[in-house]
Amino acid sequence: MAKKEDLSFNKNEDVNKLLVTDLNRKLDEVYLGGGKKRIEKHHSKGKLTARERIEYLLDKGSNRIEIGAFAGEEMYQEYGGCPSGGVVGMIGYVSKKQCLVVANDATVKAGAWFPITGKKNLRFQEIAIENKLPIIYLVDSAGVFLPMQDEIFPDKEHFGRIFRNNAIMSSMGITQIAAIMGSCVAGGAYLPIMSDESLIVDKTGSIFLAGSYLVKAAIGEDIDNETLGGATTHCEISGVTDYKCADDNDCLDKIKKMMSKIGDYEKAGFNRIKSNAPKQKIEELYGILPDTREKQYEIKDIINRLVDGSEFEEYKATYGKTIVCGYARIDGWSVGIVANQRKVVKSKTGEMQFGGVFYSDSADKAARFIMNCNQKKIPLVFLQDVSGFMVGSRSEHGGIIKDGAKMVSAQSNSVVPKFTIIIGNSYGAGNYAMCGKAYDPRLIVAWPSAQLAVMSGTSAAKTLLQIEIASLKAKGEKITKEKEDELYNKIKNRYDEQISPYYAAARLWTDAIINPIDTRKWISMGIEAANHSPIKKSYNVGVIQT
């Protein structure tokens, strides 16, 4: 185990702390939304920003986690960008009730919906549906971003799916409260009205299918927006909204009172006892995770700094050593941990096995452990640092594909909630077996050290380089060593950009990039949310049995 006085520990610590510093710097930029000038303009209208509204609404000093802060990062640059996808969403507590709060950021293109905005809102609703979590919408949006309407309007996972989900959640008894705190136009007008109860802020909130300009163009009627769809109109004449609020603070105070009266929920019954901090200091995570991907480390050193009392009951400790499985507690919650071991180990036959790679024995071990956790109703935590499955004749003849399929099947059919933390590599089929985004983790987050791709940048660049060289030679071109190096660097730089955790977070392949020392909070709040939703389905892995 690395010691704080070790040179390697200090080097690791420096590198990983710099990654966290860069993460915090990027988050500070994201938190500005559309920028300081637009925030000032927003304030001049007597309105709070999206983040200020959420901060006021959530219980003071309580834990909260933000979903998709980096959504849209470096995307839509031709339109000036779309920080956080123009919408902010956090899991937190209102009147001591855990819930999901979603707020349009009107400082970003007046809160208009880009394609990533739609994807992000659907992710919020997916979280609410999976966990039967109350959801509060703070609406302030100009509707669909028209220049990109073809990418947000008509398809199954586009804008209209939001309202379908409103109806589904209502039928499931999931509380939905909507506050109209700014513009709410066209199709977007259905979201608050399909919620259980709706509030509207006087003078700043408005809701209508078509604004005054469109009404004039369509039917020739002259009318102002306030008379057409303001708070007085909808609270006194149409009856569309339920509560009229004096200002943002009054509106948010009313929501707090509404949330304080909601009854308790039926629980899934996941095991929890009093929380106990790890005996090993969690801050030492920075010094344990290597500064480069070529170096090895002991995954149990990571686990011991994440789990209560640093107590970990390892399953099949001497078998399938490239995967580590075992039982522990995180913030009092019972969990089953499946973690990749990124170091060279000896197999049961004495053969040396590469770290971070699945072999038949490790895949078999993980599949059996996942089944055990489902039988015992224990939530699963996947710690990903995986390069993929072992290749070559020995592995193929040994049935690696079938053993990998068993593991994928075991975790795909899990009925207990799953949580995925990408701490290093997340490559190829290893991403799938270790519960990547396609396999419905309740939450999936990455440390700043994470990389997501089919394969590493170096491996991909070498593969693509050979294809490129063969193509150029077929055209009669002579490839010098200098030309080959130039092509390699060009390919690798492009690929490295795409395997960055920020590239993944921008596209919502992960829910967040987090400081490693916040991992316990994310898992604990995730299991608490999952505990809202009792397990109704029996566990069955289908035809692929072990």
Side-chain angles (χ1 to χ4, degrees):
M1 184 178 72
K3 303 290 185 183
K4 290 197 77 171
E5 59 271 18
D6 288 350
L7 179 61
S8 61
F9 184 100
N10 293 332
K11 286 176 66 179
N12 294 343
E13 189 175 46
D14 288 345
V15 168
N16 287 307
K17 282 188 173 181
L18 280 172
L19 289 174
V20 171
T21 298
D22 190 46
L23 167 65
N24 291 331
R25 179 186 60 78
K26 289 176 181 290
L27 283 171
D28 286 340
E29 293 174 2
V30 163
Y31 294 159
L32 289 174
K36 292 180 179 179
K37 286 186 178 179
R38 287 180 181 164
I39 290 173
E40 290 170 5
K41 185 177 180 181
H42 197 76
H43 285 161
S44 71
K45 299 175 183 177
K47 298 163 69 175
L48 300 173
T49 65
R51 293 182 184 279
E52 289 168 344
R53 286 167 176 166
I54 293 175
E55 182 62 30
Y56 185 91
L57 184 59
L58 295 179
D59 295 345
K60 190 174 181 180
S62 63
N63 280 337
R64 69 283 312 268
I65 52 179
E66 182 172 352
I67 307 296
F70 287 110
E73 180 79 357
E74 299 297 328
M75 296 168 67
Y76 315 119
Q77 293 302 303
E78 67 273 32
Y79 299 113
C82 187
S84 274
V87 62
V88 182
M90 295 189 193
I91 298 175
Y93 303 87
V94 177
S95 299
K96 299 183 179 179
K97 299 284 196 310
Q98 193 183 43
C99 59
L100 181 57
V101 184
V102 178
N104 298 112
D105 187 349
T107 70
V108 179
K109 291 289 187 295
W113 288 55
F114 283 72
I116 197 66
T117 317
K119 185 174 182 179
K120 189 172 177 180
N121 275 275
L122 288 170
R123 176 60 179 147
F124 295 148
Q125 291 185 320
E126 179 182 41
I127 290 170
I129 290 169
E130 284 182 328
N131 300 292
K132 292 186 169 58
L133 204 60
I135 186 166
I136 299 167
Y137 306 100
L138 308 180
V139 183
D140 194 346
S141 171
V144 166
F145 185 62
L146 290 177
M148 302 191 74
Q149 65 85 28
D150 61 320
E151 296 182 45
I152 181 62
F153 170 64
D155 210 346
K156 180 178 179 180
E157 299 300 328
H158 283 178
F159 189 64
R161 188 77 171 181
I162 304 291
F163 318 130
R164 175 264 189 193
N165 287 348
N166 287 141
I168 295 297
M169 284 190 282
S170 182
S171 71
M172 295 174 66
I174 298 171
T175 297
Q176 297 176 87
I177 298 171
I180 302 157
M181 309 183 78
S183 297
C184 186
V185 300
Y190 287 104
L191 184 147
I193 309 311
M194 293 190 74
S195 299
D196 302 319
E197 294 183 278
S198 59
L199 307 88
I200 185 167
V201 178
D202 194 23
K203 300 299 186 288
T204 55
S206 60
I207 177 170
F208 31 63
L209 294 180
S212 56
Y213 292 131
L214 185 53
V215 167
K216 174 67 174 176
I219 63 172
E221 180 183 4
D222 282 308
I223 190 169
D224 62 87
N225 282 338
E226 184 65 24
T227 306
L228 182 65
T232 299
T233 295
H234 285 309
C235 287
E236 298 181 16
I237 300 174
S238 72
V240 165
T241 52
D242 305 312
Y243 305 93
K244 183 179 180 180
C245 309
D247 53 28
D248 278 14
N249 290 34
D250 181 43
C251 181
L252 298 169
D253 286 336
K254 278 185 169 62
I255 294 174
K256 292 179 184 182
K257 291 176 182 177
M258 293 164 73
M259 288 295 295
S260 72
K261 297 175 178 65
I262 293 176
D264 203 0
Y265 54 90
E266 184 184 359
K267 296 177 177 64
F270 301 123
N271 186 289
R272 191 182 198 187
I273 61 174
K274 184 179 178 181
S275 178
N276 187 11
K279 285 183 181 178
Q280 305 291 335
K281 292 182 180 179
I282 196 168
E283 293 81 7
E284 291 178 358
L285 290 171
Y286 301 129
I288 294 167
L289 194 68
D291 57 344
T292 70
R293 297 183 129 65
E294 292 73 32
K295 294 180 181 178
Q296 303 179 45
Y297 67 98
E298 174 56 67
I299 190 62
K300 281 176 276 190
D301 289 343
I302 298 285
I303 293 171
N304 288 336
R305 285 157 180 80
L306 294 177
V307 302
D308 289 14
S310 300
E311 295 177 358
F312 180 63
E313 302 163 39
E314 190 171 358
Y315 172 80
K316 288 183 179 289
T318 59
Y319 178 76
K321 292 181 181 179
T322 63
I323 199 81
V324 172
C325 302
Y327 303 102
R329 290 188 182 273
I330 292 178
D331 196 25
W333 294 104
S334 172
V335 296
I337 295 175
V338 181
N340 302 112
Q341 178 69 284
R342 200 172 90 190
K343 70 175 187 177
V344 178
V345 297
K346 280 187 179 180
S347 72
K348 60 186 177 181
T349 61
E351 176 194 4
M352 301 305 292
Q353 295 184 334
F354 296 105
V357 178
F358 272 111
Y359 290 78
S360 286
D361 55 357
S362 50
D364 172 71
K365 168 181 163 179
R368 291 176 181 273
F369 180 73
I370 289 166
M371 292 176 191
N372 287 345
C373 288
N374 273 272
Q375 185 181 44
K376 298 174 182 178
K377 204 162 77 170
I378 298 174
L380 285 158
V381 174
F382 293 85
L383 301 179
Q384 281 197 15
D385 193 350
V386 58
S387 301
F389 283 79
M390 191 60 190
V391 296
S393 61
R394 186 184 182 97
S395 292
E396 298 293 0
H397 296 171
I400 186 69
I401 295 174
K402 184 146 183 81
D403 288 316
K406 291 175 186 176
M407 182 181 173
V408 170
S409 181
Q411 70 90 351
S412 296
N413 286 291
S414 281
V415 295
V416 296
K418 301 174 292 185
F419 302 89
T420 302
I421 316 296
I422 305 171
I423 65 179
N425 300 331
S426 181
Y427 297 154
N431 169 281
Y432 299 161
M434 290 294 290
C435 196
K437 182 65 181 290
Y439 292 82
D440 297 325
R442 295 295 176 97
L443 293 171
I444 177 170
V445 298
W447 289 3
S449 48
Q451 288 187 353
L452 286 80
V454 172
M455 61 182 74
S456 71
T458 300
S459 298
K462 287 178 179 178
T463 303
L464 293 169
L465 177 65
Q466 295 309 310
I467 296 170
E468 181 73 12
I469 288 174
S471 175
L472 292 173
K473 285 182 175 178
K475 295 176 183 177
E477 291 191 34
K478 185 177 180 181
I479 306 300
T480 63
K481 180 65 169 63
E482 291 75 17
K483 178 67 172 177
E484 184 174 323
D485 290 343
E486 181 187 341
L487 285 170
Y488 174 81
N489 291 328
K490 182 180 178 181
I491 293 169
K492 188 174 185 303
N493 290 340
R494 184 177 71 245
Y495 199 87
D496 283 345
E497 180 184 340
Q498 294 180 357
I499 66 178
S500 158
Y502 295 97
Y503 190 92
R507 288 151 183 82
L508 291 173
W509 301 343
T510 60
D511 291 317
I513 303 171
I514 67 169
N515 188 329
I517 63 174
D518 289 334
T519 303
R520 280 170 55 85
K521 178 176 73 172
W522 274 81
I523 294 171
S524 176
M525 289 187 68
I527 298 176
E528 183 182 350
N531 205 36
H532 285 80
S533 182
I535 297 171
K536 304 293 186 183
K537 184 181 176 183
S538 60
Y539 182 61
N540 189 333
V541 295
V543 297
I544 303 177
Q545 301 289 340
T546 58

